[in-house]
Amino acid sequence: MRQSPMDVFRYPALALKPSSALANPWRRSVRLFLLPGIAWLPAALLPGCTAPGDSATHTTALNGQCALYGGKPAVALTLAFGLSRPNGAPVTETEWHEFLDRVVVPVFPDGLTVLDAEGRWRDPDSGPVIREASRLVWIVAPRSPDLARHVQEIRRIYEARFNQKAVAAFVHPGCVSF
């Protein structure tokens, strides 16, 4: 059976080999902590997609949890940008910083974090696992009606400008306190 990267979310047992889960219980606990939240995440971010009352109950519970830590509800976004074009040419440092400064920072001027990474993914068209330098942009933002639209626009611009198949977006609701 051929696995896709999304199989980890459909079949959580694929996320870790049994030996690694036993050798590192922290990784096992993270998987168990994060994956249950994924089920309600789309409903929490898309107004009108939940049963009446569900969203209000969840918001009240989240506000209470945030207050315990002196925080407020927020959304943590991690965007994964590949730095290789299909023809093998890299996205240069200058191109990357220009994109970041002109497209991402104006939408999220309160701050973000950029991390160097190495991505691996299976190309659905050609089949091999592709390895490429990547950048992860981590943003914590308050919930707002425009948040999803802004994230989608950033992804669309990057995909078009650098001929990318996708920009991954990981969205985690939670609390923030600075």
Side-chain angles (χ1 to χ4, degrees), residues 3-81:
Q3 292 180 1
S4 89
M6 295 309 293
D7 284 345
V8 171
F9 298 107
R10 287 186 286 234
Y11 309 105
L14 294 175
L16 296 172
K17 296 178 185 168
S19 60
S20 65
L22 295 174
N24 189 344
W26 183 85
R27 288 182 72 191
R28 183 179 66 235
S29 66
V30 168
R31 184 190 75 210
L32 295 174
F33 174 74
L34 292 177
L35 288 177
I38 290 170
W40 61 266
L41 176 63
L45 295 177
L46 299 172
C49 295
T50 59
D54 288 354
S55 183
T57 302
H58 179 302
T59 300
T60 301
L62 185 60
N63 286 340
Q65 286 295 313
C66 292
L68 291 173
Y69 300 97
K72 57 187 175 186
V75 177
L77 305 160
T78 304
L79 303 176
F81 298 92

Coordinates of all heavy atoms in Angstrom, one line a residue, residues 3-81:
Q3 N 1.8 5.0 0.8 CA 1.3 6.0 1.8 C 1.5 7.4 1.3 O 2.4 7.7 0.6 CB 2.2 5.9 3.1 CG 2.1 4.6 3.8 CD 3.0 4.6 5.0 OE1 3.7 5.5 5.3 NE2 3.0 3.5 5.7
S4 N 0.5 8.2 1.7 CA 0.6 9.6 1.4 C 1.0 10.3 2.7 O 0.8 9.8 3.8 CB -0.7 10.2 0.8 OG -1.5 10.6 1.8
P5 N 1.5 11.6 2.6 CA 1.9 12.3 3.8 C 0.6 12.5 4.7 O 0.8 12.5 5.9 CB 2.4 13.6 3.3 CG 2.9 13.4 2.0 CD 2.0 12.3 1.4
M6 N -0.6 12.5 4.2 CA -1.8 12.8 5.0 C -2.2 11.5 5.7 O -3.0 11.6 6.6 CB -2.9 13.3 4.1 CG -2.6 14.7 3.5 SD -2.1 15.9 4.7 CE -3.6 16.0 5.7
D7 N -1.7 10.3 5.3 CA -2.0 9.1 6.0 C -1.7 9.2 7.5 O -2.4 8.5 8.3 CB -1.3 7.9 5.4 CG -1.9 7.5 4.1 OD1 -3.1 7.9 3.8 OD2 -1.3 6.7 3.4
V8 N -0.8 10.0 7.9 CA -0.4 10.1 9.3 C -1.6 10.6 10.1 O -1.9 10.3 11.2 CB 0.8 11.0 9.5 CG1 1.0 11.4 11.0 CG2 2.0 10.4 8.9
F9 N -2.4 11.5 9.4 CA -3.6 12.1 10.1 C -4.8 11.1 10.1 O -5.6 11.1 11.0 CB -4.0 13.4 9.5 CG -2.9 14.4 9.6 CD1 -2.1 14.8 8.5 CD2 -2.6 15.0 10.8 CE1 -1.1 15.7 8.7 CE2 -1.6 15.9 11.0 CZ -0.8 16.3 9.9
R10 N -4.9 10.3 9.0 CA -6.0 9.4 9.0 C -5.7 8.1 9.8 O -6.6 7.5 10.3 CB -6.2 9.0 7.5 CG -6.9 10.1 6.7 CD -7.2 9.5 5.3 NE -6.0 9.4 4.6 CZ -5.8 10.0 3.4 NH1 -6.8 10.6 2.8 NH2 -4.7 9.9 2.8
Y11 N -4.4 7.8 9.9 CA -4.0 6.6 10.6 C -2.9 7.0 11.6 O -1.7 6.8 11.2 CB -3.5 5.5 9.7 CG -4.5 5.2 8.5 CD1 -4.3 5.6 7.3 CD2 -5.7 4.5 8.8 CE1 -5.1 5.4 6.2 CE2 -6.6 4.3 7.8 CZ -6.3 4.7 6.5 OH -7.2 4.5 5.5
P12 N -3.2 7.5 12.8 CA -2.2 8.0 13.7 C -1.1 7.0 14.0 O 0.0 7.4 14.3 CB -3.0 8.3 14.9 CG -4.4 8.5 14.5 CD -4.6 7.6 13.3
A13 N -1.4 5.7 13.9 CA -0.3 4.7 14.2 C 0.8 4.8 13.3 O 1.9 4.4 13.6 CB -0.9 3.3 14.2
L14 N 0.6 5.4 12.1 CA 1.7 5.5 11.1 C 2.7 6.6 11.5 O 3.8 6.7 11.0 CB 1.2 5.8 9.7 CG 0.4 4.7 9.0 CD1 -0.2 5.2 7.7 CD2 1.2 3.4 8.8
A15 N 2.3 7.5 12.4 CA 3.1 8.6 12.8 C 4.4 8.2 13.4 O 5.4 8.8 13.3 CB 2.4 9.6 13.7
L16 N 4.4 7.1 14.2 CA 5.6 6.6 14.9 C 5.7 5.1 14.8 O 4.7 4.4 14.8 CB 5.5 7.0 16.4 CG 5.5 8.4 16.8 CD1 5.2 8.6 18.2 CD2 6.8 9.1 16.4
K17 N 6.9 4.6 14.7 CA 7.1 3.2 14.7 C 7.0 2.8 16.2 O 7.4 3.6 17.1 CB 8.5 2.9 14.2 CG 8.7 3.2 12.8 CD 10.1 2.9 12.4 CE 10.4 3.3 10.9 NZ 11.7 3.3 10.6
P18 N 6.5 1.6 16.5 CA 6.4 1.2 17.9 C 7.7 1.4 18.7 O 7.6 1.8 19.8 CB 5.9 -0.2 17.8 CG 5.3 -0.3 16.5 CD 6.0 0.6 15.6
S19 N 8.8 1.1 18.1 CA 10.0 1.2 18.9 C 10.3 2.6 19.3 O 10.8 2.9 20.4 CB 11.2 0.5 18.1 OG 11.3 1.2 16.9
S20 N 10.1 3.5 18.4 CA 10.4 4.9 18.7 C 9.4 5.5 19.7 O 9.8 6.3 20.6 CB 10.4 5.8 17.4 OG 9.1 5.9 16.9
A21 N 8.2 5.0 19.7 CA 7.2 5.5 20.7 C 7.6 5.0 22.1 O 7.4 5.7 23.1 CB 5.8 5.0 20.3
L22 N 8.1 3.8 22.2 CA 8.5 3.2 23.5 C 9.8 3.9 23.9 O 10.0 4.1 25.1 CB 8.6 1.7 23.4 CG 7.3 1.0 23.1 CD1 7.6 -0.5 22.9 CD2 6.4 1.1 24.2
A23 N 10.7 4.1 23.0 CA 12.0 4.7 23.4 C 11.9 6.1 23.8 O 12.7 6.6 24.5 CB 13.0 4.5 22.2
N24 N 10.9 6.8 23.2 CA 10.7 8.3 23.5 C 9.3 8.5 23.8 O 8.5 8.9 23.0 CB 11.2 9.1 22.3 CG 11.2 10.5 22.6 OD1 10.7 11.0 23.6 ND2 11.9 11.3 21.8
P25 N 8.8 8.4 25.1 CA 7.4 8.6 25.5 C 7.0 10.0 25.2 O 5.8 10.2 25.0 CB 7.4 8.2 26.9 CG 8.8 8.2 27.4 CD 9.7 8.0 26.2
W26 N 7.9 11.0 25.2 CA 7.5 12.4 24.9 C 6.8 12.5 23.5 O 5.8 13.1 23.3 CB 8.7 13.3 25.0 CG 8.3 14.7 24.8 CD1 7.8 15.6 25.8 CD2 8.3 15.4 23.6 NE1 7.5 16.8 25.2 CE2 7.9 16.7 23.9 CE3 8.7 15.1 22.3 CZ2 7.8 17.7 22.9 CZ3 8.6 16.1 21.3 CH2 8.2 17.4 21.6
R27 N 7.5 11.8 22.5 CA 6.9 11.9 21.2 C 5.6 11.2 21.1 O 4.7 11.7 20.4 CB 7.9 11.2 20.2 CG 9.1 12.0 20.0 CD 10.1 11.4 19.0 NE 9.5 11.5 17.7 CZ 9.9 10.8 16.6 NH1 10.9 10.0 16.7 NH2 9.3 11.0 15.5
R28 N 5.4 10.1 21.9 CA 4.1 9.5 21.9 C 3.0 10.4 22.5 O 1.9 10.5 22.0 CB 4.2 8.2 22.7 CG 2.8 7.4 22.7 CD 2.9 6.1 23.4 NE 3.1 6.4 24.8 CZ 4.1 5.8 25.5 NH1 5.0 5.0 25.0 NH2 4.2 6.1 26.8
S29 N 3.4 11.1 23.6 CA 2.4 12.0 24.2 C 2.1 13.2 23.3 O 1.0 13.6 23.3 CB 2.9 12.4 25.6 OG 4.0 13.2 25.4
V30 N 3.0 13.6 22.6 CA 2.8 14.8 21.7 C 1.8 14.3 20.6 O 0.8 15.0 20.3 CB 4.1 15.3 21.0 CG1 3.8 16.2 19.9 CG2 4.9 16.0 22.1
R31 N 2.0 13.1 20.0 CA 1.1 12.6 19.0 C -0.3 12.5 19.6 O -1.3 13.0 19.0 CB 1.6 11.3 18.5 CG 0.7 10.8 17.3 CD 0.9 9.4 16.9 NE 0.3 8.6 18.0 CZ 0.8 7.4 18.3 NH1 1.9 6.9 17.8 NH2 0.2 6.7 19.3
L32 N -0.5 12.0 20.8 CA -1.8 11.8 21.3 C -2.4 13.2 21.7 O -3.6 13.3 21.7 CB -1.7 10.9 22.6 CG -1.2 9.5 22.3 CD1 -1.1 8.7 23.6 CD2 -2.2 8.8 21.4
F33 N -1.6 14.1 22.0 CA -2.1 15.5 22.4 C -2.6 16.2 21.1 O -3.6 16.8 21.1 CB -1.0 16.3 23.1 CG -1.4 17.7 23.4 CD1 -2.4 18.0 24.4 CD2 -0.9 18.7 22.6 CE1 -2.7 19.3 24.6 CE2 -1.3 20.0 22.9 CZ -2.2 20.3 23.9
L34 N -1.8 16.2 20.1 CA -2.1 17.0 18.9 C -3.2 16.4 18.0 O -4.0 17.1 17.5 CB -0.8 17.2 18.0 CG 0.3 18.0 18.7 CD1 1.5 18.1 17.7 CD2 -0.2 19.4 18.9
L35 N -3.2 15.1 17.8 CA -4.1 14.5 16.8 C -5.6 14.7 17.2 O -6.4 15.0 16.4 CB -3.8 13.1 16.5 CG -2.5 13.0 15.7 CD1 -2.1 11.5 15.5 CD2 -2.6 13.6 14.4
P36 N -6.0 14.5 18.5 CA -7.4 14.8 18.8 C -7.8 16.2 18.4 O -9.0 16.4 18.0 CB -7.5 14.5 20.3 CG -6.4 13.6 20.6 CD -5.2 14.0 19.6
G37 N -7.0 17.2 18.5 CA -7.4 18.5 18.2 C -7.6 18.7 16.7 O -8.3 19.6 16.4
I38 N -7.1 17.9 15.9 CA -7.2 18.1 14.5 C -8.7 17.8 14.1 O -9.2 18.5 13.2 CB -6.3 17.1 13.7 CG1 -4.9 17.6 13.9 CG2 -6.6 17.1 12.2 CD1 -3.8 16.7 13.4
A39 N -9.4 16.9 14.7 CA -10.7 16.6 14.4 C -11.7 17.8 14.5 O -12.5 18.0 13.7 CB -11.3 15.5 15.3
W40 N -11.5 18.6 15.5 CA -12.4 19.8 15.7 C -11.8 21.1 15.1 O -12.5 22.1 15.0 CB -12.8 20.0 17.1 CG -11.6 20.3 18.0 CD1 -10.9 19.4 18.8 CD2 -11.0 21.6 18.3 NE1 -9.9 20.1 19.4 CE2 -9.9 21.4 19.2 CE3 -11.3 22.9 17.8 CZ2 -9.1 22.4 19.6 CZ3 -10.4 23.9 18.2 CH2 -9.4 23.7 19.1
L41 N -10.6 21.0 14.6 CA -10.0 22.2 14.1 C -10.7 22.9 12.9 O -11.0 24.1 13.0 CB -8.5 21.9 13.7 CG -7.8 23.1 13.0 CD1 -7.6 24.2 14.0 CD2 -6.4 22.6 12.6
P42 N -11.1 22.2 11.9 CA -11.8 22.8 10.8 C -13.1 23.5 11.2 O -13.4 24.6 10.8 CB -12.0 21.7 9.8 CG -11.0 20.7 10.1 CD -10.7 20.8 11.6
A43 N -13.8 22.8 12.1 CA -15.0 23.3 12.6 C -14.8 24.6 13.4 O -15.6 25.5 13.4 CB -15.8 22.3 13.4
A44 N -13.7 24.7 14.2 CA -13.5 25.8 15.0 C -13.1 27.0 14.2 O -13.3 28.2 14.6 CB -12.4 25.5 16.0
L45 N -12.5 26.8 13.0 CA -12.0 27.9 12.2 C -13.0 28.4 11.2 O -12.8 29.4 10.6 CB -10.7 27.5 11.5 CG -9.5 27.3 12.5 CD1 -8.3 26.8 11.7 CD2 -9.2 28.5 13.3
L46 N -14.0 27.5 10.8 CA -14.9 27.9 9.8 C -16.3 28.2 10.4 O -17.0 27.2 10.8 CB -15.0 26.8 8.8 CG -13.8 26.4 8.1 CD1 -14.0 25.2 7.2 CD2 -13.3 27.6 7.2
P47 N -16.7 29.4 10.6 CA -17.9 29.7 11.2 C -19.1 29.1 10.4 O -19.0 29.1 9.2 CB -18.0 31.3 11.2 CG -16.7 31.8 10.6 CD -15.9 30.6 10.2
G48 N -20.1 28.7 11.0 CA -21.2 28.1 10.3 C -21.1 26.7 10.1 O -22.0 26.0 9.5
C49 N -20.0 26.0 10.4 CA -19.8 24.6 10.1 C -19.9 23.8 11.3 O -19.7 22.6 11.3 CB -18.4 24.4 9.5 SG -18.2 25.2 7.9
T50 N -20.4 24.3 12.4 CA -20.6 23.6 13.6 C -22.1 23.6 14.0 O -22.8 24.5 13.6 CB -19.8 24.1 14.8 OG1 -20.1 25.5 15.0 CG2 -18.3 24.0 14.5
A51 N -22.4 22.7 14.8 CA -23.8 22.7 15.3 C -24.0 23.9 16.2 O -23.1 24.3 16.9 CB -24.1 21.4 16.1
P52 N -25.2 24.4 16.3 CA -25.4 25.6 17.1 C -25.0 25.3 18.6 O -25.3 24.3 19.1 CB -27.0 25.8 17.0 CG -27.4 25.2 15.7 CD -26.4 24.0 15.5
G53 N -24.3 26.2 19.2 CA -23.8 26.1 20.5 C -22.5 25.4 20.7 O -21.8 25.7 21.7
D54 N -22.1 24.6 19.8 CA -20.8 23.9 19.9 C -19.6 24.9 19.9 O -18.7 24.8 20.7 CB -20.5 22.9 18.7 CG -21.4 21.7 18.8 OD1 -22.1 21.5 19.8 OD2 -21.3 20.9 17.9
S55 N -19.6 25.9 19.0 CA -18.6 26.9 19.0 C -18.5 27.7 20.2 O -17.4 28.0 20.7 CB -18.7 27.7 17.7 OG -17.7 28.6 17.6
A56 N -19.6 28.1 20.7 CA -19.7 29.0 21.9 C -19.1 28.2 23.1 O -18.4 28.7 23.9 CB -21.1 29.5 22.2
T57 N -19.5 26.9 23.2 CA -19.0 26.1 24.4 C -17.5 25.9 24.3 O -16.8 26.1 25.3 CB -19.7 24.7 24.3 OG1 -21.1 24.9 24.4 CG2 -19.2 23.8 25.4
H58 N -17.0 25.7 23.1 CA -15.6 25.5 22.9 C -14.9 26.8 23.2 O -13.8 26.8 23.9 CB -15.3 25.1 21.5 CG -13.8 24.9 21.2 ND1 -12.9 25.9 21.4 CD2 -13.1 23.8 20.8 CE1 -11.7 25.5 21.1 NE2 -11.8 24.2 20.7
T59 N -15.4 27.9 22.7 CA -14.7 29.2 23.0 C -14.7 29.5 24.5 O -13.7 30.0 25.0 CB -15.5 30.4 22.2 OG1 -15.4 30.0 20.8 CG2 -14.8 31.7 22.4
T60 N -15.8 29.3 25.2 CA -15.8 29.5 26.6 C -14.7 28.6 27.3 O -14.0 29.1 28.2 CB -17.2 29.2 27.2 OG1 -18.1 30.1 26.5 CG2 -17.2 29.5 28.7
A61 N -14.6 27.4 26.9 CA -13.6 26.5 27.5 C -12.2 27.0 27.2 O -11.3 27.0 28.1 CB -13.8 25.0 27.0
L62 N -12.0 27.4 26.0 CA -10.7 27.8 25.6 C -10.3 29.1 26.3 O -9.2 29.3 26.8 CB -10.6 28.1 24.1 CG -9.2 28.4 23.5 CD1 -8.2 27.3 23.8 CD2 -9.3 28.7 22.0
N63 N -11.2 30.0 26.5 CA -11.0 31.3 27.2 C -10.6 31.0 28.7 O -9.7 31.6 29.2 CB -12.2 32.2 27.2 CG -12.4 32.9 25.9 OD1 -11.5 33.0 25.1 ND2 -13.6 33.3 25.6
G64 N -11.3 30.0 29.3 CA -11.0 29.6 30.6 C -9.6 29.0 30.7 O -8.8 29.3 31.7
Q65 N -9.2 28.1 29.8 CA -7.9 27.6 29.8 C -6.8 28.6 29.6 O -5.8 28.6 30.2 CB -7.7 26.5 28.7 CG -8.4 25.2 29.0 CD -7.8 24.5 30.2 OE1 -6.6 24.4 30.3 NE2 -8.6 24.1 31.1
C66 N -7.1 29.6 28.7 CA -6.1 30.6 28.4 C -5.9 31.5 29.7 O -4.8 31.9 30.0 CB -6.6 31.5 27.2 SG -6.5 30.6 25.7
A67 N -7.0 31.8 30.4 CA -6.9 32.6 31.6 C -6.0 32.0 32.6 O -5.3 32.7 33.3 CB -8.3 32.9 32.1
L68 N -6.0 30.7 32.7 CA -5.1 30.0 33.7 C -3.6 30.4 33.5 O -2.8 30.4 34.4 CB -5.2 28.5 33.6 CG -6.6 27.9 34.0 CD1 -6.6 26.4 33.7 CD2 -6.8 28.1 35.5
Y69 N -3.3 30.7 32.2 CA -1.9 31.0 31.9 C -1.6 32.5 31.6 O -0.6 32.9 31.1 CB -1.4 30.2 30.7 CG -1.5 28.7 30.9 CD1 -2.6 28.0 30.5 CD2 -0.5 28.0 31.7 CE1 -2.7 26.6 30.8 CE2 -0.6 26.7 31.9 CZ -1.7 26.0 31.5 OH -1.8 24.6 31.8
G70 N -2.6 33.3 31.9 CA -2.5 34.7 31.7 C -2.5 35.0 30.2 O -2.0 36.0 29.8
G71 N -3.2 34.2 29.4 CA -3.1 34.4 27.9 C -4.5 34.6 27.4 O -5.5 34.8 28.1
K72 N -4.5 34.6 26.1 CA -5.8 34.8 25.3 C -5.8 33.9 24.2 O -4.8 33.4 23.7 CB -5.9 36.3 24.9 CG -4.8 36.8 24.0 CD -4.9 38.2 23.8 CE -3.7 38.7 23.0 NZ -3.6 40.1 22.8
P73 N -7.0 33.5 23.6 CA -7.1 32.6 22.5 C -6.4 33.2 21.3 O -6.4 34.4 21.0 CB -8.6 32.5 22.2 CG -9.3 32.9 23.5 CD -8.3 33.9 24.1
A74 N -5.7 32.3 20.6 CA -5.0 32.6 19.4 C -4.9 31.4 18.5 O -5.3 30.3 18.9 CB -3.6 33.1 19.7
V75 N -4.4 31.6 17.3 CA -4.1 30.6 16.3 C -2.6 30.6 16.0 O -2.1 31.6 15.7 CB -4.9 30.8 15.1 CG1 -4.7 29.7 14.0 CG2 -6.4 30.8 15.4
A76 N -2.0 29.4 16.1 CA -0.6 29.3 15.7 C -0.6 28.6 14.3 O -1.2 27.6 14.1 CB 0.1 28.4 16.7
L77 N 0.0 29.3 13.4 CA 0.1 28.9 12.0 C 1.6 28.6 11.7 O 2.5 29.3 12.0 CB -0.3 30.0 11.1 CG -1.7 30.6 11.3 CD1 -1.7 32.0 10.7 CD2 -2.7 29.7 10.7
T78 N 1.8 27.4 11.1 CA 3.1 27.1 10.6 C 2.9 26.9 9.1 O 2.2 26.0 8.7 CB 3.7 25.9 11.2 OG1 3.7 26.0 12.6 CG2 5.1 25.6 10.7
L79 N 3.6 27.7 8.3 CA 3.6 27.6 6.8 C 4.9 27.0 6.4 O 6.0 27.5 6.8 CB 3.4 28.9 6.2 CG 2.1 29.6 6.6 CD1 2.0 31.0 5.9 CD2 0.9 28.8 6.3
A80 N 4.9 26.0 5.5 CA 6.1 25.3 5.1 C 6.3 25.6 3.6 O 5.5 25.3 2.7 CB 6.0 23.8 5.3
F81 N 7.4 26.4 3.3 CA 7.7 26.8 2.0 C 8.9 26.0 1.4 O 10.0 26.1 2.0 CB 8.1 28.3 2.0 CG 7.0 29.2 2.5 CD1 6.9 29.5 3.8 CD2 6.1 29.7 1.5 CE1 5.8 30.4 4.2 CE2 5.0 30.5 2.0 CZ 4.9 30.9 3.3

